[in-house]
């Protein structure tokens, strides 16, 4: 009885197992960040509240890039991990107007999220539209210099969320290329070297182009 039940269960699961697919992706692109208010409370810098204009400079070193691993359970739904290395620099006018020598996150506003995906496979030939959403954390490299305060280190910045949508084009059974739009939101709260804090809400918009390998 147990043997027959185990065999029936295994046979029932075969279609799902046969369709399971692991997809590894790498992408580059262009990213920018929306203006945001910056709040500083620090014994040396003082209390500040100002609007920062951010620059992305995606193609300067270190470049903007992303890595993604996705497990597709079937032809429609999947889940996985996405890591993106975004950058934001305060504009020259923001630095000058507020007296900062440096205000940036340029070894990355590194965002790691656990994502869920929906795709529409085998409906438009080799073209597959998809959407995704995820939650995770931001790991910024904080670079802030003003007066006697100088911060230069990686920190946990707080939670992060991401939304994306795009299309992939199948080259063969293993390889595909894709293009997508991705937006991420990260409310940063970081520590300054002089026992203060800096807070800002970063909204990062990106257009990504990449390649995927499936097996």
């Amino acid at each position: 009885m147990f043997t027959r039940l185990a065999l029936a269960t295994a046979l029932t699961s075969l279609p799902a197992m046969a369709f399971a697919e692991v997809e590894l992706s790498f992408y580059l692109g262009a990213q920018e960040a929306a203006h945001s208010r910056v709040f500083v409370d620090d014994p040396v810098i003082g209390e500040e509240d100002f609007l920062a204009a951010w620059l992305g400079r995606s193609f300067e070193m270190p470049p903007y890039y992303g890595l993604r691993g996705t497990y597709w359970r079937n032809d429609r739904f999947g889940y996985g991990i996405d890591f993106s290395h975004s950058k934001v620099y305060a504009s020259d006018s923001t630095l000058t107007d507020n007296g900062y020598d440096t205000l940036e996150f340029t070894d990355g506003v590194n965002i790691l999220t656990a994502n869920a995906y929906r795709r529409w496979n085998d409906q438009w030939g080799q073209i597959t539209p998809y959407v995704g959403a995820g939650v995770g954390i931001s790991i910024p490299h904080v670079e802030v210099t003003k007066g006697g305060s100088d911060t230069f280190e990686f920190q946990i910045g707080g939670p992060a969320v991401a939304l994306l949508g795009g299309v992939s084009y199948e080259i063969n059974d293993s390889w595909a290329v894709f293009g997508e739009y991705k937006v991420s939101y990260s409310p940063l709260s970081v520590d300054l070297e002089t026992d203060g804090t800096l807070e800002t809400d970063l909204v990062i918009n990106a257009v990504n182009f990449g390649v995927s390998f499936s097996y």
Side-chain angles (χ1 to χ4, degrees):
M1 178 66 178
F2 176 78
T3 302
R4 290 198 298 271
L5 179 61
L7 180 60
T9 302
L11 290 174
T12 302
S13 65
L14 274 178
M17 292 173 64
F19 216 101
E21 173 189 355
V22 175
E23 184 179 59
L24 304 177
S25 305
F26 171 75
Y27 56 87
L28 298 170
Q31 59 87 192
E32 294 291 345
H35 292 21
S36 66
R37 298 210 69 83
V38 175
F39 303 93
V40 177
D41 185 0
D42 184 84
V44 174
I45 297 176
E47 293 187 11
E48 296 186 337
D49 174 357
F50 59 90
L51 182 66
W54 303 108
L55 305 175
R57 300 176 183 169
S58 304
F59 305 108
E60 296 182 9
M61 295 300 293
Y64 164 73
Y65 67 89
L67 303 169
R68 182 178 300 156
T70 306
Y71 177 76
W72 293 101
R73 293 180 56 86
N74 52 47
D75 64 343
R76 293 180 296 170
F77 297 104
Y79 56 85
I81 299 296
D82 187 296
F83 171 83
S84 61
H85 175 85
S86 306
K87 304 182 300 178
V88 293
Y89 300 74
S91 67
D92 289 342
S93 60
T94 298
L95 295 175
T96 301
D97 292 347
N98 298 284
Y100 283 80
D101 297 312
T102 307
L103 176 56
E104 58 192 55
F105 307 95
T106 52
D107 259 343
V109 183
N110 302 292
I111 295 177
L112 181 67
T113 56
N115 292 359
Y117 301 98
R118 168 70 161 97
R119 66 180 177 181
W120 289 263
N121 203 20
D122 297 330
Q123 296 188 32
W124 288 276
Q126 293 170 276
I127 297 175
T128 301
Y130 61 90
V131 295
V135 296
I137 61 171
S138 64
I139 310 168
H141 189 267
V142 184
E143 301 179 38
V144 179
T145 303
K146 181 177 180 179
S149 182
D150 186 4
T151 304
F152 187 85
E153 63 183 10
F154 283 102
Q155 297 185 27
I156 300 297
V161 296
L163 297 172
L164 60 94
V167 294
S168 66
Y169 178 81
E170 183 181 288
I171 299 173
N172 55 40
D173 289 342
S174 297
W175 294 94
V177 293
F178 64 91
E180 66 184 27
Y181 170 75
K182 179 181 178 183
V183 58
S184 57
Y185 168 68
S186 180
L188 295 185
S189 178
V190 298
D191 297 325
L192 300 178
E193 179 264 343
T194 42
D195 296 326
T197 59
L198 182 149
E199 297 180 358
T200 192
D201 292 345
L202 290 181
V203 178
I204 297 173
N205 301 283
V207 177
N208 300 327
F209 298 96
V211 60
S212 295
F213 174 75
S214 300
Y215 62 92

